[in-house]
Amino acid sequence: MGGVSNASLPLPSSDRADVAASLRRALLDADFTADGLLELLGASAYAALARSETVPALRATRADGVLAALVRLFLLQETVPHARVADVLPLDALLESGWLVEGGGELRATVDVRPYGGPNGEDWFIVSDLGCAVGGAGGIGSHDEGVVLGVGGASTTLAGLTVRTPADSALDLGTGSGIQALHAAQHATRVTATDLNPRALEFTRLTLALSGAPEADLREGSLFEPVGEETYDLIVSNPPFVISPGARLTYRDGGMGGDDLCRTLVQETGARLNEGGYAHFLANWQHVDGEEWQDRLRSWVPRGCDAWIVQREVQDITQYAELWLRDAGDHREDPTRYAARYEAWLDEFEARGTRAVGFGWITLRKTGAAEPSITVEEWPHPVEQPLGETVREFFDRQDYLRTHDDAALLAAHFKLADEVVQEQVGLPGAEDPEHVVLRQHRGMRRATKVDTVGAGFAGVCDGSLSAGRILDAIAQLVGEDPVLLRDRTPAQLRLLVEQGFLLPVQA
């Protein structure tokens, strides 16, 4: 764009719903969809786009063809001859409303349009600033304060985590280009989307219109200020969580010191959730000298909410600073300026006693329980997305465990979850394994060590016998006092239920 700032470019008019509808029809007719792109580009070039690498896609779209032209125009920001798309796009309307500009017979898009496949096969489109639709935090290289990013790894992670039960009301806080609002519109009667950046609200409007989704209630402002005291069944947010020295870039820097923005967001959510409602966030948090990070996060959880907090990654402060300096393209600038910015990040961390930064997921559920359940754990291993149903089941099991003491657990019936396997670990040739591991192949894909009693118990759980009767049978087999075995087993049984290895069933 010849050095023109993204944030200074006029956006397509969102007042003409008919233009968005006609553009949507034209794109679908040309198979400008996620599946269509994969077929045209091939797996290698398609995957390269997610890494912010466009050269393979440019090579794959050199040939003639309507789809290739649309990819170059809307996704790769290349100019395309007017005549090449005149028969497939409503050009007069697109030029008039600002989706395209023309010069010398060449067309150029004013925004990125990225095909995005919905969870049930929907053909959606995410609209964002030029150059910001492919990849994620891999180096968009933009210093524009008001730039609006498209869909990236963080966006899809949050969308996959969200519990998708029917809801009367949903709030997408910090909507950006609108992907979370788009998902929420599929199962919520009323969707509200907020953002501090008014440009982001316009992009959300365009994303929803081009995807054929219902309009959302769009409100400008920071955190919960735009919604006052209103409450919701679902709240989702991919906030500007980067812990940085200052609020340089709106899309990533929260403008509060340290991890205060994420803490404030989580703490203020409790009063905005309806009973039984869920809130999902991505967040960064500090690892501070003299404080356990788990305790730090437990202190964030608002009163009256269950919480499940998962730390997915930890970076030391130098890795963290380098990641986000490269994200903004600072490494490609003057080395002296880069070094000064690097120093500023390290000064900020040193002043706060920060030795590392964690990244992960925070889920809250509003509950009326007298003693809410708060689980804070580290799980950096691969998981199976989408996880929304796994998250819902996790909180259901918390309800179950909260209302069942040890005696009730022993009287209950359980079955082994699907796709759980047993692994025996030990030296080759040893008569007995050193330990036994149960491993899931679904959801969180957890692995947990169990003793021989736990392994034997899990192996025969089919729901037909109570836990107590199974333990009595095991006690007889191993020659152990059944009373003592019943006394020491409920803690292990409780853990296996909490982690989803054992599922309660009706007797």
Side-chain angles (χ1 to χ4, degrees):
M1 290 299 294
V4 176
S5 167
N6 267 318
S8 68
L9 290 172
L11 293 178
S13 170
S14 59
D15 297 331
R16 294 282 306 275
D18 61 314
V19 177
S22 61
L23 175 56
R24 173 176 172 79
R25 287 193 298 271
L27 296 178
L28 293 178
D29 287 345
D31 204 19
F32 186 70
T33 63
D35 290 341
L37 256 63
L38 179 58
E39 183 174 349
L40 172 70
L41 303 179
S44 179
Y46 188 84
L49 282 179
R51 303 191 299 271
S52 302
E53 297 291 348
T54 59
V55 172
L58 287 168
R59 291 172 61 88
T61 55
R62 286 175 180 168
D64 291 337
V66 170
L67 180 55
L70 294 178
V71 172
R72 294 179 78 86
L73 180 63
F74 286 114
L75 189 57
L76 301 176
Q77 289 85 61
E78 294 292 306
T79 58
V80 172
H82 183 288
R84 192 170 173 188
V85 291
D87 293 335
V88 295
L89 292 178
L91 290 183
D92 290 342
L94 295 178
L95 289 165
E96 180 184 353
S97 59
W99 287 88
L100 302 174
V101 293
E102 184 174 11
E106 295 284 321
L107 298 170
R108 182 184 291 274
T110 60
V111 291
D112 272 325
V113 177
R114 175 174 178 171
Y116 178 80
N120 298 309
E122 300 95 341
D123 288 315
W124 292 339
F125 301 96
I126 309 300
V127 188
S128 65
D129 266 316
L130 292 169
C132 301
V134 294
I140 67 166
S142 174
H143 292 167
D144 292 351
E145 182 179 347
V147 70
V148 177
L149 272 63
V151 61
S155 301
T156 55
T157 294
L158 180 59
L161 284 173
T162 303
V163 174
R164 299 295 175 190
T165 51
D168 289 332
S169 57
L171 172 64
D172 176 12
L173 193 151
T175 185
S177 56
I179 180 174
Q180 308 305 330
L182 181 56
H183 276 277
Q186 310 309 305
H187 64 100
T189 304
R190 175 173 58 90
V191 176
T192 301
T194 71
D195 205 288
L196 181 64
N197 182 3
R199 186 176 178 85
L201 298 177
E202 289 303 305
F203 272 115
T204 294
R205 195 188 310 274
L206 295 172
T207 289
L208 294 174
L210 194 57
S211 298
E215 293 184 5
D217 179 6
L218 304 177
R219 306 186 193 181
E220 181 181 345
S222 177
L223 297 177
F224 288 104
E225 180 270 329
V227 301
E229 301 302 316
E230 295 177 30
T231 59
Y232 299 87
D233 300 319
L234 173 68
I235 298 174
V236 293
S237 183
N238 178 16
F241 52 65
V242 177
I243 300 172
S244 59
R248 183 168 153 231
L249 298 174
T250 304
Y251 72 86
R252 72 171 200 191
D253 301 322
M256 297 185 183
D259 52 18
D260 282 355
L261 182 134
C262 290
R263 176 186 56 79
T264 300
L265 176 59
V266 173
Q267 289 180 337
E268 292 184 355
T269 294
R272 285 11 184 254
L273 269 182
N274 293 328
E275 193 73 18
Y278 287 91
H280 304 271
F281 312 106
L282 301 184
N284 280 186
W285 44 79
Q286 299 170 113
H287 286 223
V288 179
D289 288 332
E291 181 181 9
E292 294 295 330
W293 68 268
Q294 296 94 332
D295 294 338
R296 183 181 190 85
L297 290 172
R298 285 191 185 94
S299 73
W300 292 9
V301 178
R303 185 183 303 274
C305 288
D306 289 343
W308 185 19
I309 302 173
V310 182
Q311 180 167 275
R312 296 286 290 157
E313 184 180 0
V314 181
Q315 290 186 324
D316 69 43
I317 56 175
T318 59
Q319 292 174 309
Y320 190 81
E322 290 162 13
L323 169 67
W324 294 108
L325 288 167
R326 289 179 176 274
D327 172 77
D330 291 327
H331 61 301
R332 295 193 290 267
E333 291 189 348
D334 175 59
T336 302
R337 184 182 301 176
Y338 174 80
R341 285 177 173 159
Y342 201 149
E343 286 272 9
W345 284 70
L346 297 185
D347 287 344
E348 175 79 4
F349 287 135
E350 182 178 342
R352 295 182 177 277
T354 304
R355 65 181 185 275
V357 177
F359 170 84
W361 317 324
I362 298 176
T363 297
L364 305 177
R365 185 188 59 165
K366 191 67 172 288
T367 175
E371 296 184 7
S373 166
I374 300 176
T375 300
V376 183
E377 62 176 320
E378 185 166 20
W379 188 252
H381 310 293
V383 298
E384 180 190 44
Q385 281 277 32
L387 277 171
E389 188 63 14
T390 298
V391 172
R392 186 192 64 77
E393 291 171 350
F394 174 87
F395 285 99
D396 285 348
R397 293 195 301 273
Q398 297 305 311
D399 285 341
Y400 178 87
L401 292 172
R402 188 159 37 212
T403 57
H404 286 70
D405 59 15
D406 288 355
L409 284 181
L410 292 174
H413 294 237
F414 301 93
K415 69 173 182 178
L416 189 66
D418 294 335
E419 297 192 41
V420 173
V421 298
Q422 176 180 304
E423 301 173 357
Q424 298 188 21
V425 181
L427 294 173
E431 183 175 346
D432 296 314
E434 293 179 12
H435 58 261
V436 178
V437 173
L438 298 181
R439 186 179 301 277
Q440 301 168 347
H441 286 274
R442 301 295 303 273
M444 290 293 286
R445 295 178 175 169
R446 294 186 184 277
T448 189
K449 291 182 182 179
V450 293
D451 59 19
T452 54
V453 172
F457 184 95
V460 298
C461 269
D462 60 4
S464 61
L465 296 175
S466 69
R469 291 191 62 186
I470 293 174
L471 289 176
D472 290 344
I474 292 175
Q476 186 174 5
L477 286 173
V478 300
E480 187 169 343
D481 186 331
V483 175
L484 295 178
L485 189 59
R486 278 175 173 253
D487 285 344
R488 69 177 178 84
T489 301
Q492 185 173 196
L493 179 58
R494 192 171 293 274
L495 177 64
L496 292 176
V497 173
E498 179 180 356
Q499 295 189 344
F501 289 94
L502 296 179
L503 307 178
V505 298
Q506 294 294 326

